Amino acid sequence: MAEEVKPTKVIDARGSFCPGPLMELIKGYKQAKVGDVISLYSSDNGTKVDAPAWIKKSGNELIGVYDRDGYVEIVLKKVR
Amino acid sequence: MYSQKRALILGDGAAGTILANKLRFLTNKNELEIVVIGNSKKHYFKPDGVQIPFGLLDYRKSVKNSEFLFNAGVKYIQDEVVRIDVDQRFVTVKSGKSYSYDYLAIATGDRLTPEDVPGYEGEAKHFYNLQAALSLKEDLAKFNGGDIVIGQASPEIQCPPAPYEFTFLLDHYFRKRGIRNKINIHYTYPLNRVFTMPQVAVFVDKLFQERGIITHTMFNVETVDPKNKVVNSLEGESVKYDMLILVPPHRGQKVITDSGLAGESGYIDVDRHKLNYGKYDDVFVIGDATNLPVSKAGAAAHFQSGYLSHHIASEVGGAVYEDDYNGECACYTITGVNEAISLWFSYEKNAKANFKSKLDYIFKWTSADTYFSGMVRGIM
Ligand SMILES: Cc1cc2nc3c(=O)[nH]c(=O)nc-3n(C[C@H](O)[C@H](O)[C@H](O)COP(=O)(O)OP(=O)(O)OC[C@H]3O[C@@H](n4cnc5c(N)ncnc54)[C@H](O)[C@@H]3O)c2cc1C
C-alpha cells in the first residue's frame, strides 16, 4: 500500500495537459536519486496505462496504482 | 501625491520584454518605475531556428537589438544578474550595483546544458540557438546519405513541438534535393507516442508514416557514443546514426540555483494561478524560468506577461486583481513547407489537431514580424 511507503518526492501533475503527467514523471525521475520513491498525481486517466508501461520499460519498480478522490496516484521506486 | 513604486524585471527575452512594455501601457510613470536588467545584447526570435537550417528564412530578420525593443518609459540596464535576495528584497548585478524593488519579476528563461549528456559535446548537432542553426545548415548541405537521428536529449525542452516540426522539414529538404531515398530519418521521443498531447500525436504519427519517418518511442536519451556512432536510451535501446541532431538538455539559469530559488534543475516552483514564488507576494516568475506544467513557449510567456502586467498594474492602482492565469498557450507548428497546424491549450484543455493548412504556415512563417512589431511591444 502506498500509505506504507513514504514517497521521497511527490509530483503533482493534476490539471496538466502539456507537457503532461508522464513527461512530468520522467522529468522528476531524472532529478531523483536511485532508491527514491516517487509519487505521481494525475487527473488524466490515460496515465494509468502510460506510466506503468514506462516504469516497466525503463526497468524501474512499480509500487502501485491507486484511485484517489478525482485523481490517480502512481508510485514507483527508482532502481536504476 | 503619488509614491512611486518600482517593478524590477530580470531578463530581456520574450517574457521580460513583453511584460515591461505591457506594464508601461497600463501604468503611468509617476506611480511605477519599470526597470529591466538583461544580458542579451541581441534579441533572437527562436522559433525561426526550425526553418533557418533549411534556408527557408533569412536569419537577419529574426534578430533585433534588445535595447530598441523597449517602449519609452522603460529603463533598460544591460548587465548580468548574479544574486537575487527575496528576503532582503534586492538584486545584485555583475558590475557590482544592487537594485531594490517593490515588485520583482524573474524572466531569465533557461539555458542549454549539453554537458549533462555524456558524449553529446562535439558530436551531436542542434538548432536551438542561432549559431547552432546556422552551422547545422552547412552540415545538412554536406549530407548525402545514411541515417539521421533527430530527437531531444531531455524530457523538458523549449517548444515541445520543435523536434517534430524540424523532422517534417528535414523530410521535405531531402526530397527537394532528390536524395530522400538515400536517407533514413529516425525520430526519437521520450513517451510511448510521438508527441505529448495524445490527439496531436495521432495526427503527427499518421503524417510521419506517410512520409516514411522511422519512430522510436519511449526513448529517453542517456548517452551518446561517438566512437560507435550510436545514441543510447535509459530504456535500453540503441540507435545508430551518421548524423545526430539532438535538442540539448535544458536547465534554469545558474543564478537561480545559486540564489536558493530552485534546486539543481534551476526551474522555480511558482503558484500555478498567481505566478508568485512561495510565500512572497511581491516576487513573480514567468516564461521558461518557471517549473509550471505548461509548455516552455514564447506563446505561454506572452499569456503569462498579459496576466502579470494586469495583476501588478491593479495593485499599483490600489485594487486587487481577481483573475487567474489558467495555463493558456496557443501556437502554430509546422508539418511541412506550406502546411502547419495550430494548437490551443491550457491547464484544463487538451490540444487537438484536426487539419493542416497553408494559412497556419503563413502565420508561422511571418511570426517574427508579428512578434517584433506587435507582441514584444506589448500591443498584442
Ligand atoms: C528552436 C526553437 C523553436 C521555438 N519555437 C517556438 C514556437 O514556435 N512558439 C513558441 O511559443 N515558442 C517557441 N520557442 C520557445 C520560446 O522561444 C521560448 O519559450 C521563449 O523565448 C521564452 O521566453 P523567456 O523570456 O522566458 O526566455 P528567453 O527568451 O530565453 O529570455 C531570457 C532572457 O534572460 C536573459 N538572462 C538570463 N540570465 C540572465 C542573468 N543572469 N542576468 C541578466 N539576464 C539574464 C537572457 O539573456 C535572455 O534574454 C522556441 C524555442 C526554440 C529554441
Side-chain angles (χ1 to χ4, degrees):
Chain A
M1 287 277 282
E3 285 77 11
E4 289 161 20
V5 188
K6 206 173 167 336
T8 330
K9 183 173 185 148
V10 174
I11 300 165
D12 188 352
R14 285 175 290 182
S16 141
F17 280 118
C18 189
L22 187 51
M23 205 63 118
E24 293 291 331
L25 176 66
I26 298 173
K27 191 173 105 187
Y29 165 88
K30 285 205 143 193
Q31 291 161 13
K33 294 189 289 292
V34 170
D36 280 358
V37 174
I38 305 168
S39 178
L40 173 75
Y41 300 167
S42 169
S43 48
D44 175 6
N45 244 336
T47 313
K48 261 184 168 173
V49 180
D50 289 359
W54 180 78
I55 293 164
K56 194 162 160 250
K57 176 143 189 207
S58 61
N60 288 287
E61 187 188 327
L62 176 68
I63 294 180
V65 178
Y66 309 97
D67 281 313
R68 305 288 185 216
D69 192 12
Y71 66 99
V72 57
E73 178 180 4
I74 288 145
V75 185
L76 81 119
K77 187 169 179 190
K78 177 164 174 160
V79 296
R80 61 177 300 268
Chain B
M1 266 284 287
Y2 284 113
S3 75
Q4 197 196 36
K5 291 188 168 157
R6 176 188 281 171
L8 186 59
I9 300 170
L10 311 182
D12 52 356
T17 311
I18 299 172
L19 174 65
N21 287 336
K22 278 191 182 293
L23 204 47
R24 190 66 296 162
F25 280 129
L26 295 172
T27 54
N28 74 49
K29 285 192 216 165
N30 304 328
E31 56 182 3
L32 190 72
E33 183 193 19
I34 301 170
V35 180
V36 179
I37 305 174
N39 66 352
S40 71
K41 294 202 171 63
K42 298 272 184 196
H43 191 122
Y44 167 47
F45 183 66
K46 290 184 255 187
D48 283 353
V50 176
Q51 297 174 80
I52 287 168
F54 304 104
L56 294 167
L57 283 174
D58 179 353
Y59 78 90
R60 278 165 292 208
K61 95 179 180 77
S62 315
V63 184
K64 305 272 182 263
N65 278 341
S66 302
E67 62 183 312
F68 299 145
L69 297 177
F70 293 98
N71 290 342
V74 172
K75 191 170 167 192
Y76 175 51
I77 297 164
Q78 251 178 11
D79 212 324
E80 184 183 325
V81 176
V82 292
R83 189 171 163 213
I84 304 166
D85 189 327
V86 292
D87 289 312
Q88 303 299 320
R89 304 173 105 211
F90 72 86
V91 164
T92 308
V93 293
K94 203 169 180 183
S95 62
K97 275 194 178 165
S98 285
Y99 298 86
S100 62
Y101 60 83
D102 296 286
Y103 298 97
L104 180 69
I106 302 173
T108 42
D110 60 7
R111 68 197 155 114
L112 307 177
T113 55
E115 64 277 11
D116 284 345
V117 171
Y120 184 105
E121 285 174 288
E123 178 67 1
K125 302 173 189 317
H126 71 90
F127 53 96
Y128 259 54
N129 59 36
L130 182 55
Q131 205 187 352
L134 289 169
S135 111
L136 183 54
K137 187 177 172 193
E138 289 175 23
D139 293 319
L140 286 172
K142 286 184 247 157
F143 194 82
N144 297 313
D147 290 276
I148 293 195
V149 176
I150 150 96
Q152 59 191 70
S154 66
E156 177 148 70
I157 59 167
Q158 286 176 42
C159 191
Y164 78 62
E165 294 188 279
F166 187 88
T167 306
F168 284 125
L169 293 183
L170 204 54
D171 169 75
H172 170 86
Y173 171 82
F174 287 119
R175 280 182 204 278
K176 215 173 142 207
R177 280 181 54 193
I179 54 169
R180 179 65 179 91
N181 57 350
K182 295 188 183 149
I183 290 158
N184 294 316
I185 300 177
H186 300 261
Y187 170 92
T188 71
Y189 200 70
L191 304 186
N192 51 348
R193 50 182 175 265
V194 297
F195 188 57
T196 181
M197 300 163 176
Q199 200 270 346
V200 181
V202 171
F203 192 84
V204 169
D205 202 13
K206 193 170 153 278
L207 296 178
F208 274 174
Q209 284 177 34
E210 280 168 22
R211 294 171 201 187
I213 288 152
I214 305 156
T215 57
H216 305 261
T217 54
M218 275 210 223
F219 192 102
N220 284 279
V221 173
E222 194 157 54
T223 55
V224 175
D225 175 355
K227 206 167 134 254
N228 295 305
K229 296 244 167 238
V230 289
V231 52
N232 305 307
S233 77
L234 77 84
E235 292 83 4
E237 196 184 338
S238 300
V239 183
K240 229 180 147 9
Y241 62 80
D242 294 296
M243 186 192 274
L244 177 62
I245 304 171
L246 267 190
V247 175
H250 295 31
R251 285 180 193 234
Q253 303 296 351
K254 203 167 164 295
V255 64
I256 302 298
T257 305
D258 292 349
S259 303
L261 299 173
E264 278 304 311
S265 79
Y267 292 113
I268 312 172
D269 285 326
V270 294
D271 184 279
R272 349 177 138 184
H273 297 292
K274 300 290 177 203
L275 304 181
N276 64 301
Y277 166 67
K279 60 177 196 230
Y280 304 87
D281 60 4
D282 55 353
V283 179
F284 300 90
V285 192
I286 52 170
D288 293 351
T290 75
N291 209 9
L292 286 174
V294 291
S295 278
K296 299 215 174 299
H302 178 225
F303 278 98
Q304 290 161 14
S305 310
Y307 163 76
L308 187 56
S309 58
H310 284 277
H311 181 123
I312 294 176
S314 296
E315 271 194 32
V316 168
V320 177
Y321 191 57
E322 298 289 355
D323 213 0
D324 278 344
Y325 169 68
N326 65 0
E328 205 155 20
C329 187
C331 57
Y332 300 101
T333 73
I334 291 171
T335 53
V337 165
N338 280 330
E339 52 174 76
I341 48 179
S342 55
L343 306 178
W344 194 313
F345 49 95
S346 68
Y347 291 141
E348 303 298 336
K349 183 175 171 288
N350 213 341
K352 288 205 166 31
N354 297 319
F355 62 93
K356 48 191 172 65
S357 78
K358 181 162 182 179
L359 188 61
D360 283 332
Y361 181 78
I362 292 170
F363 282 137
K364 178 81 180 193
W365 194 74
T366 57
S367 54
D369 302 334
T370 325
Y371 177 76
F372 285 123
S373 56
M375 202 180 273
V376 135
R377 288 285 174 192
I379 292 165
M380 294 169 77

